[in-house]
Amino acid sequence: MDSLTQIVLGGAIGNALLGKKIKNRAVLYGAIAGTIPDLDIFASLFTDPISALEIHRTITHSLLFAFLSSLLFGYFLFKIENKNGITYKESYWLFFWGFITHAILDVFTTWGTQVLWPFNYSFAFKSIFVIDPLYTLPFIYFLVRSMREKKDMQKRMYFNNLGLYVSSSYLVLTLLLKAFAFYKFTDTLTEKNITYKSISVKPTLMNTVMWKAIVETEEEFLIGDHSLLSNQPITFKVYQKNAYLAKSLEENLLLQRLLKLTEHTYTFSKNGDDLYLNDLRFGVLKETENEIQFAFSYRFYTGKDGEWQVEEVKKEKRDGIVLLKNVWNRILRND
């Protein structure tokens, strides 16, 4: 999830564990714990873009990291707060649960999270978008309301726990909504007699009303969306894999690593001598008769040394705004 949401979740965890003893400082320490796992994004400053993507949501999001690093961070907290009655055990558990809940929340999103690292397996429920106001805003309200209670500890814990219950219930609801959308998509595929190898269903931008399905067949991917508020039939757009375009790169290590990152959900396209690998998991930013711009694309080009190089295609912020408007227009128009 986004940084703000993880800060709020971490703050609520810290408040639940130590709020009665050190009040709002517990929220601060919990917010720090909720932030630390995402510091892996700074790997991009020290390594290449592909390696940075491979590192994200691995080590720092794992059970192993939570168990071991909490020993160190808990010690620092203990040294700061032991004079206020905080034990080392309490300090350890604040960071441990801050790290673990961060990883668990990320599991509900689309990008895989390697909770069991160093085992190379990612968990992803794909039931909530990385930014979801319906999850975050009520959570913020209850946490802030709790923080304002500095004398009545029972009331303080009531609001804090209410935020945890409401946000957790919403996560469960997203799983139910996804299941409903999943069966809508599979029923449509059955009705159209479409034979497919796999199907992935996930929410669209910042909501859990409009859902997207990515369906893989032998030579192509089908992408369709469905609003839970709509009775309109589901249609699919076809995107050819175009694997033949990358025939000369079959053994290229960069390509193999990117295919793994995209979970082999891709299409290839070409522009002049440059080859583009388009990650279909996050959909299309904009599409016209002459151009398709995917949310994530990678350009392969020949470097000065004659070797293949790769870079992520830059996106404009306004493209994301246009995409968000299109999603909400579709929901509101019910078409």
Side-chain angles (χ1 to χ4, degrees):
M1 293 292 285
D2 63 285
S3 298
L4 174 60
T5 302
Q6 293 290 8
I7 286 172
V8 174
L9 174 59
I13 294 297
N15 198 22
L17 294 174
L18 298 182
K20 289 182 178 180
K21 286 189 174 182
I22 55 176
K23 302 182 177 63
N24 288 346
R25 292 202 305 282
V27 178
L28 172 62
Y29 298 133
I32 292 172
T35 301
I36 287 172
D38 276 345
L39 296 182
D40 61 3
I41 62 172
F42 291 109
S44 61
L45 300 177
F46 308 100
T47 186
D48 61 275
I50 298 180
S51 296
L53 287 172
E54 291 171 331
I55 291 170
H56 186 46
R57 291 196 183 181
T58 56
I59 301 171
T60 60
H61 288 66
S62 66
L63 281 167
L64 184 63
F65 177 84
F67 277 119
L68 297 181
S69 64
S70 296
L71 295 170
L72 177 62
F73 289 109
Y75 175 76
F76 290 141
L77 177 55
F78 169 68
K79 295 297 288 184
I80 295 170
E81 294 290 350
N82 71 88
K83 61 183 179 294
N84 295 310
I86 301 301
T87 67
Y88 176 68
K89 182 178 180 180
E90 289 173 325
S91 300
Y92 174 88
W93 286 121
L94 182 144
F95 278 96
F96 175 83
W97 286 113
F99 296 154
I100 288 298
T101 53
H102 179 118
I104 291 173
L105 180 55
D106 277 347
V107 165
F108 281 82
T109 63
T110 297
W111 195 281
T113 304
Q114 292 187 27
V115 180
L116 298 181
W117 184 93
F119 298 103
N120 188 17
Y121 183 82
S122 293
F123 296 88
F125 294 159
K126 302 179 182 179
S127 66
I128 188 170
F129 193 76
V130 68
I131 301 173
D132 190 326
L134 286 181
Y135 178 88
T136 305
L137 293 180
F139 211 166
I140 291 175
Y141 168 78
F142 288 119
L143 180 60
V144 172
R145 185 68 181 81
S146 172
M147 292 172 67
R148 294 178 63 184
E149 296 293 338
K150 298 181 180 179
K151 294 182 179 180
D152 189 338
M153 291 300 101
Q154 185 175 355
K155 204 169 183 181
R156 179 186 182 94
M157 291 300 104
Y158 169 78
F159 283 112
N160 189 74
N161 292 340
L162 191 56
L164 289 168
Y165 295 147
V166 169
S167 60
S168 298
S169 298
Y170 181 71
L171 288 179
V172 174
L173 176 62
T174 65
L175 293 174
L176 297 175
L177 294 175
K178 174 177 177 173
F180 184 79
F182 177 86
Y183 286 114
K184 282 288 187 180
F185 284 117
T186 53
D187 286 348
T188 299
L189 292 169
T190 300
E191 291 171 4
K192 294 178 178 291
N193 294 316
I194 296 175
T195 302
Y196 56 96
K197 296 170 62 177
S198 65
I199 178 172
S200 175
V201 175
K202 61 193 70 179
T204 55
L205 194 66
M206 295 175 65
N207 77 100
T208 48
V209 176
M210 178 85 71
W211 293 79
K212 179 187 302 293
I214 302 176
V215 182
E216 182 183 8
T217 67
E218 201 63 43
E219 298 293 334
E220 58 197 18
F221 284 96
L222 312 177
I223 298 181
D225 50 45
H226 171 64
S227 168
L228 299 181
L229 303 178
S230 173
N231 293 319
Q232 297 297 317
I234 297 172
T235 58
F236 293 95
K237 288 188 176 181
V238 179
Y239 299 91
Q240 299 293 331
K241 294 180 181 179
N242 295 329
Y244 70 92
L245 292 176
K247 200 71 176 175
S248 62
L249 277 174
E250 279 183 339
E251 305 301 322
N252 184 279
L253 183 58
L254 288 175
L255 177 61
Q256 294 304 317
R257 291 166 65 190
L258 271 177
L259 287 177
K260 185 177 180 181
L261 282 170
T262 66
E263 300 174 346
H264 293 269
T265 307
Y266 66 89
T267 180
F268 286 107
S269 56
K270 212 163 187 182
N271 185 2
D273 293 329
D274 296 338
L275 177 71
Y276 291 83
L277 172 63
N278 308 300
D279 188 342
L280 297 182
R281 293 176 302 161
F282 304 98
V284 177
L285 278 180
K286 61 183 179 181
E287 186 169 1
T288 65
E289 288 185 7
N290 302 317
E291 179 188 9
I292 301 176
Q293 183 180 353
F294 295 89
F296 286 92
S297 289
Y298 302 91
R299 181 175 75 97
F300 284 83
Y301 62 97
T302 306
K304 293 181 179 178
D305 56 0
E307 297 292 326
W308 283 100
Q309 305 291 326
V310 65
E311 65 177 4
E312 183 181 339
V313 178
K314 293 182 180 180
K315 298 177 287 293
E316 299 289 340
K317 288 185 178 180
R318 62 175 176 269
D319 293 331
I321 296 173
V322 171
L323 179 61
L324 180 60
K325 287 181 178 179
N326 290 340
V327 169
W328 281 101
N329 283 338
R330 283 212 55 195
I331 293 173
L332 296 175
R333 288 202 312 266
N334 193 34
D335 62 9

